[in-house]
């Protein structure tokens, strides 16, 4: 099983991220929804996985947009990390290489926030992953690219979360990690 | 400390996720989820008020379940409640849920908007950000209406925090894209421009995105942004000691901002002010210089960031197209990238170079890289890159290198990916024609095209070669000889047969002197392939035969025999039969002189714009095709001759069925020789019938026939020009109501497309034939209809010919199988997407599949009827509606409508003869629902009373809605 994120999209520009896994059917986590239907989104994800996963290592990281993702104006830009693919669907208003770097920033940020991020972190903390992504991409548009800035924001949110929990005086005891999940 | 500690959060959620992960099967997973859903539901419904934490936990679980692909139909209210919590974590989950799950027309939108309004006013930057994110992510019209005034105010307010400004800028951008009419320009616009000077680079980046979009629409309002953008860019690019607040990424200063600024500048022409202009040139030079410096880091991130800026700078240089030195430098830089080991860079270099090729300053420089590009075509492993290489070869082609490039493309075509073959075929055809010095080369090239990729050779291409052969007498003999030789191949493509048939019919005499290609040999050669062809090709060949009778009187007997054979004269296809009958008769009754006049050589085609070119343009969008205009001027000939079938230039009467599109009744061609026409009146006055509907025929196939024959059939179709390049053609949507009581007709029509329907239903199954008629003169690209329907109805696209609509009135037919599983209300939606003129067109039409289509009429006696009527007397089984008549109350019309509705009309059942009574059974896969209905007209009051009784209340309700709408 796998988690991932769903398209964040808007009319002219779409930028979504998804993680796909080699082995299992892809499950997804949505970030924002366009007018696309549920089925169509699943179809997009499947098709994208199909397209991306069969590509060799040293081909380019851009894929011409098929009809599914809104025609030839849109491109799929992806990066491959171990078992995970991060795929963005981007229209022509963004620089291709810039988006490749943005994916890198996203992954580096995840890595910093989760300390050596692994797939399970992304599954068990879908909401946090979304928070981080929300600091970078908003309504399908690139919001922030500076990793330190992003981490500062995430940190601040985390502190707030902490203080809220402290005042409640509960649930601090569950510090053990879910190693059972494996 | 990691920013997200792994331990905190919601334990229940984590346990749930682990459970799901431990499920061995899909069924187990669903079971676990259903259990959880039941639990959450009971918690939400329980008497005990939930605290914020529990609410958050359950909403989060629902979210997770939704993301696993399951439907969630409750919990929205709880999520909305979370919005008004003053705890960040609760609020945040609430917003996340809303952004993901609440659609814009939800009833909750007012509550949500209220919560957002409070958060925007809270002056707490974190809350404001959450609210702005939500607006941007949902982006609905309602939200735009509610906040279009607030967001700009927050954006330009002096005391707004930087992070909020950033979000506000992008939020505004989003609203501007979704509902531009609702975002008013105002005094904030000038202040937005000054955000380019902001201290915080994140704010500048977001503001630049916003300004770029706004400037594309209102360039004048944002003119001042040019100088500010140049100043900002220059500070980033040229100065060494600037504090970029961590916005340096792998040694590259603020790459994203630089890219954005360069994009913004591409909205404007080169700056007029000399100082700004030289400063910008300086920047661009600096960027080009940096590309030559040794990299500061070996990491790919460094080179990516650096090159992102470089490519954007090159785009700007190409956009300005005014500095020859910069253009040449850009070209050299791209040339280096062409051989770079990074595939990404090779891809982007090819793409950018395509644009460079169209500049007069750099066209020659681009040409020097031809060999590299050709080798890319041969050696690249990535189809995306090869596709770019094809594009670039096309763009750099001119008279000097045309023969080589065309040869390479033809070579490549043999192994090319199927997805790009059609495009390559078009490109080869255009280049071959555009740069043909020697027309025999042109003919060879096109025949090669057909040989290599016959399936991908569209009609335009072979029309075009015929047209050029007809218009140029120096190539006719050669063409006849070449096609004759090509036809010797044991298996040849049908397109070749079409070209061959046409050319031999016109110019077969030019090679008849050679005994190896004597008339009889030519005829036998063609006829040996006749039976393997489709109907349109056979029709064309029949025309060739009659032409042969004129060209070669010595084989008249042989041909007449063929025409007379049962397989022709009694052919089941009406078009073929008609041609055979008429040609045979013509050959018998007409004197040699008349024959010679009627069947004389085709006059040259009138000059017109190349439709291949138009087709390719549509395929690629205008930008991608440099030099196209020039081609058109060079060779202003037309492919298709004088005849256009109905769909293109004539508007069929709106009442006709779409099927009329397929009738080959061509328009009177402008160039028809009047003598021929008048002669024909005499010849045909007795036995000519208007061309019957049959398979659509290509214009060329029709030419022989229609130029002299159809002109006689007085077709006074009014030519009505299509309104130019309409970007969004007004749709003429025909009311779906019309289809409740009938099964055929025109479903949809706009300037581009007409959709017709024929359908038949039997019990719970139905079959629907959907006809798509292209009303334009160009091809629609990526034409893809799809059907979305609910579970209660299964549709299955059975058959679909072609993925793209061919030119001019050609039709695409689709067959849908429909199965009604259970009763339904929502009709399935037919979604059609295609590209026309570079614009993605999206059409969604409701298919007129209504519950009543699955009626089987039931005849019954008066006694039976009333007995059953009484059985169905439970109050919810009966639905009654009294309504005013919208149409005249003609009993005959009403009868027809009731029968059309699907029920049996029972005569003499109702004691009152003016009432109508009907009975039928709705068939669905799950069940059958008997239905009795009674319609009582009251002519004086102009009212009806409709009573329906069925065993199911929902069915009664639905049928009543459907039927009452008809009168």
């Amino acid at each position: 099983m796998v988690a991932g994120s769903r398209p964040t999209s808007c009319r002219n520009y779409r930028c979504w991220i998804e993680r796909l896994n080699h082995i299992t059917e892809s499950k997804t986590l949505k970030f924002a929804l366009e007018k696309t239907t549920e089925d169509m989104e699943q179809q997009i994800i499947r098709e994208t996985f199909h397209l991306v996963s069969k590509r060799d290592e040293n081909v380019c990281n851009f894929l011409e947009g098929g009809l599914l993702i809104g025609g030839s104006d849109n491109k799929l830009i992806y990066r491959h990390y171990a078992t995970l693919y991060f795929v963005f669907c981007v229209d022509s208003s963004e620089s291709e290489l810039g988006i490749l770097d943005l994916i890198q920033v996203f992954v580096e940020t995840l890595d910093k926030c989760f300390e050596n991020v692994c797939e399970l972190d992304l599954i068990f903390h879908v909401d946090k992953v979304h928070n981080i992504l929300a600091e970078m991409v908003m309504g399908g548009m690139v919001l922030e690219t500076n990793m330190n800035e992003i981490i500062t924001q995430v940190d601040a949110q985390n502190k707030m979360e902490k203080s809220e929990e402290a005042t409640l005086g509960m649930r601090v005891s569950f510090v053990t990690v879910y190693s059972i999940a494996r | 400390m990691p920013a997200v500690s792994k331990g905190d959060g919601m334990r229940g959620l984590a346990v749930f996720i682990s459970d799901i992960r431990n499920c061995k099967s899909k069924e187990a997973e669903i079971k676990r989820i259903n259990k959880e859903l039941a639990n959450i539901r009971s918690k939400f419904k329980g008497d005990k008020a939930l605290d914020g934490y529990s609410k958050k936990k359950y909403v989060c679980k629902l979210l997770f379940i939704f993301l696993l692909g399951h439907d969630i139909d409750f919990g929205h209210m709880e999520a909305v409640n979370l919005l008004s919590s003053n705890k960040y974590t609760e609020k945040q989950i609430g917003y996340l849920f809303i952004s993901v799950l609440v659609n814009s027309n939800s009833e909750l939108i007012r509550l949500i908007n209220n919560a957002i309004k409070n958060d925007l006013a809270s002056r707490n930057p974190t809350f404001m950000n959450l609210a702005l994110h939500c607006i941007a992510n949902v982006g609905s019209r309602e939200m735009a209406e509610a906040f279009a005034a607030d967001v700009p105010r927050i954006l330009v307010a002096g005391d707004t925090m930087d992070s909020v400004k950033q979000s506000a800028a992008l939020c505004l951008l989003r609203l501007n894209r979704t509902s531009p009419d609702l975002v008013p320009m105002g005094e904030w616009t000038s202040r937005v421009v000054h955000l380019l000077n902001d201290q915080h680079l994140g704010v500048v980046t977001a503001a630049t995105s916003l300004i770029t979009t706004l400037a594309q629409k209102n360039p004048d309002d944002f003119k001042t942004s040019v100088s500010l953008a140049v100043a900002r860019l220059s500070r980033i690019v040229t100065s060494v000691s600037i504090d970029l607040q961590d916005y340096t990424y792998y040694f590259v200063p603020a790459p994203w901002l630089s890219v954005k600024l360069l994009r913004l500048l591409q909205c404007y022409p080169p700056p007029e002010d000399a100082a700004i202009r030289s400063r910008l040139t300086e920047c661009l030079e600096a960027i080009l210089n940096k590309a030559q410096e040794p990299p500061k880091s070996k990491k790919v991130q460094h080179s990516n960031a650096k090159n992102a800026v470089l490519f954007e700078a090159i785009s700007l240089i190409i956009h300005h197209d005014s500095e020859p030195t910069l253009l040449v430098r850009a070209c050299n830089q791209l040339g280096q990238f062409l051989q770079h080991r990074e595939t990404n860079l090779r891809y982007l270099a090819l793409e950018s170079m395509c644009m460079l090729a169209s500049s007069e300053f750099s066209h020659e420089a681009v040409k020097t890289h031809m060999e590299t590009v050709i080798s890319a075509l041969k050696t690249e492993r990535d189809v995306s890159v090869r596709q770019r290489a094809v594009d670039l070869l096309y763009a750099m082609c001119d008279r000097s290198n045309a023969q080589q490039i065309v040869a390479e493309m033809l070579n490549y075509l043999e192994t090319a990916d199927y997805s790009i073959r059609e495009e390559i075929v078009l490109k080869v055809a255009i280049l071959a024609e555009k740069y043909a010095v020697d027309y025999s080369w042109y003919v060879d090239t096109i025949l090669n095209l057909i040989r290599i990729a016959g399936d991908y050779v569209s009609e335009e291409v072979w029309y075009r070669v015929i047209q050029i052969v007809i218009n140029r007498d120096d190539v006719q003999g050669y063409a006849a000889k070449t096609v004759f030789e090509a036809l010797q191949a044991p298996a040849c493509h049908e397109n070749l047969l079409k070209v061959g048939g046409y050319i031999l019919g016109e110019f077969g005499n030019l090679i008849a002197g050679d005994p190896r290609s004597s008339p009889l040999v030519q005829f036998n050669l063609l006829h040996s392939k006749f039976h393997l062809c489709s109907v349109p090709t056979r029709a064309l060949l029949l025309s060739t035969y009659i032409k042969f009778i004129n060209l070669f009187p010595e084989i008249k007997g042989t041909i007449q025999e063929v025409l007379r054979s049962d397989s022709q004269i009694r052919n089941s296809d009406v078009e073929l039969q008609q041609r055979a009958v008429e040609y045979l008769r013509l050959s018998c009754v007409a004197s040699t002189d008349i024959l010679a006049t009627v069947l004389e050589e085709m006059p040259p085609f009138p000059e017109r714009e190349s439709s291949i070119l138009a087709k390719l343009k549509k395929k690629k969008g205008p930008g991608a095709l440099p030099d196209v205009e020039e081609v058109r001027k060079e060779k202003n000939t037309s492919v298709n001759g004088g005849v256009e079938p109905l769909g293109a230039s004539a508007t069929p009467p709106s009442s006709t069925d779409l099927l009329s599109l397929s009738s080959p009744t061509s328009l009177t061609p402008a160039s028809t020789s009047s003598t021929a026409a008048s002669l024909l009146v005499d010849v045909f006055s007795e036995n000519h019938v208007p061309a019957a509907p049959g398979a659509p025929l290509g214009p060329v196939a029709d030419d022989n026939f229609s130029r002299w024959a159809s002109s006689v059939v007085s077709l006074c179709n009014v030519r009505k020009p299509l309104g130019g390049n309409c970007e969004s053609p007004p749709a003429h949507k025909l009311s779906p109501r019309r289809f409740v009581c009938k099964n055929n007709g025109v479903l949809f029509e706009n300037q581009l497309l007409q959709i017709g329907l024929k359908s038949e239903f039997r019990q719970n199954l139905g079959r629907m034939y959907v006809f798509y008629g292209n009303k334009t003169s160009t091809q629609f690209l990526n034409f893809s209809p799809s059907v979305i329907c609910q579970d209660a109805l299964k549709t299955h696209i059975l058959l679909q010919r072609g993925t793209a609509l061919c030119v001019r009135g050609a039709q695409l037919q689709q067959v849908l199988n429909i199965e009604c599983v259970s009763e339904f209300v929502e009709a399935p939606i037919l979604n059609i997407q295609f590209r026309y003129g570079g614009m993605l067109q999206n059409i969604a039409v409701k298919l007129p599949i209504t519950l009543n289509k699955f009626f089987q009429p039931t005849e019954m006696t008066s006694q039976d009827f009333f007995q059953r009527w009484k059985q169905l007397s439970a109050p919810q089984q009966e639905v009654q509606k009294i309504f005013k008549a919208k149409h005249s109350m003609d009993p005959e019309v009403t009868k027809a409508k009731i029968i059309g509705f699907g029920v049996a009309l029972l005569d003499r059942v109702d004691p009152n003869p003016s009432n109508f009574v009907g009975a039928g059974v709705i068939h669905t896969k799950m069940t059958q629902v008997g239905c009795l209905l009674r319609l009582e007209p009251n002519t004086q009051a102009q009212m009806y009373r409709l009573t329906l009784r069925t065993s199911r209340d929902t069915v009664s309700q639905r049928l009543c809605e459907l039927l009452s709408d008809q009168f």
Side-chain angles (χ1 to χ4, degrees), chain A residues 10 28-30 55-56 58 60-61 64 67 92-94 104 108 131 134 144 157-158 161 164 174, chain B residues 3-4 7 67 88-89 92 133 137 166 174 247 250 260 263 301 343-344 347 381-382 388 784:
Chain A
C10 51
T28 56
L29 192 160
K30 177 158 53 182
R55 287 175 67 83
D56 292 340
N58 49 358
C60 71
N61 299 62
E64 300 284 303
L67 198 63
S92 59
S93 73
E94 292 293 327
Q104 175 71 15
E108 284 182 27
N131 283 353
E144 183 56 73
Q157 289 163 12
N158 225 39
E161 197 169 323
E164 282 170 14
F174 304 124
Chain B
V4 177
L67 296 172
Y88 165 74
T89 45
Q92 183 260 329
H133 274 270
N137 284 332
Q166 249 170 299
R174 174 70 211 258
Y247 278 82
Y250 287 90
K260 290 275 174 211
R263 280 270 155 117
Q301 282 77 9
T343 317
N344 288 338
Y347 174 93
R381 293 171 54 205
D382 187 347
R388 291 285 89 84
S784 73

Side-chain angles (χ1 to χ4, degrees), chain B residues 700-776:
Chain B
V700 172
D702 239 15
D703 257 359
N704 280 336
F705 188 63
S706 60
R707 278 200 179 191
W708 44 267
S710 290
S711 58
V712 183
V713 189
S714 55
L715 287 170
C716 11
N717 282 302
V718 184
R719 276 173 190 256
K720 195 168 157 192
L722 290 172
N725 281 343
C726 267
E727 294 213 333
S728 53
H732 175 47
K733 248 190 211 171
L734 302 158
S735 159
R737 213 191 313 141
R738 298 183 320 127
F739 283 94
V740 169
C741 294
K742 65 178 211 169
N743 287 333
N744 307 331
V746 179
L747 175 66
F748 173 89
E749 186 167 4
N750 69 9
Q751 288 196 337
L752 306 177
L753 182 69
Q754 189 186 44
I755 305 172
L757 285 184
K758 268 176 84 171
S759 46
E760 54 202 34
F761 294 87
R762 199 184 162 81
Q763 302 204 329
N764 70 322
L765 300 177
R767 176 168 287 191
M768 182 169 269
Y769 300 85
V770 188
F771 301 89
Y772 302 94
N774 180 347
K775 294 170 66 179
T776 67

Side-chain angles (χ1 to χ4, degrees), chain A residues 79-142:
Chain A
R79 266 184 109 133
H80 187 182
Y81 296 88
T83 59
L84 297 178
Y85 285 98
F86 288 78
V87 186
F88 278 48
C89 170
V90 178
D91 73 3
S92 59
S93 73
E94 292 293 327
S95 148
E96 286 96 338
L97 292 173
I99 294 294
L100 274 185
D101 280 344
L102 190 74
I103 299 178
Q104 175 71 15
V105 171
F106 181 47
V107 174
E108 284 182 27
T109 310
L110 287 175
D111 202 48
K112 283 238 166 80
C113 291
F114 286 103
E115 264 189 325
N116 287 329
V117 66
C118 71
E119 203 178 321
L120 284 178
D121 292 325
L122 307 186
I123 297 170
F124 278 93
H125 300 283
V126 271
D127 52 329
K128 304 247 158 81
V129 174
H130 263 131
N131 283 353
I132 296 168
L133 185 56
E135 291 300 325
M136 299 179 60
V137 178
M138 170 176 163
M141 294 155 299
V142 181

Side-chain angles (χ1 to χ4, degrees), chain B residues 145 280 325 584 614:
Chain B
E145 269 163 18
L280 179 58
T325 45
L584 183 61

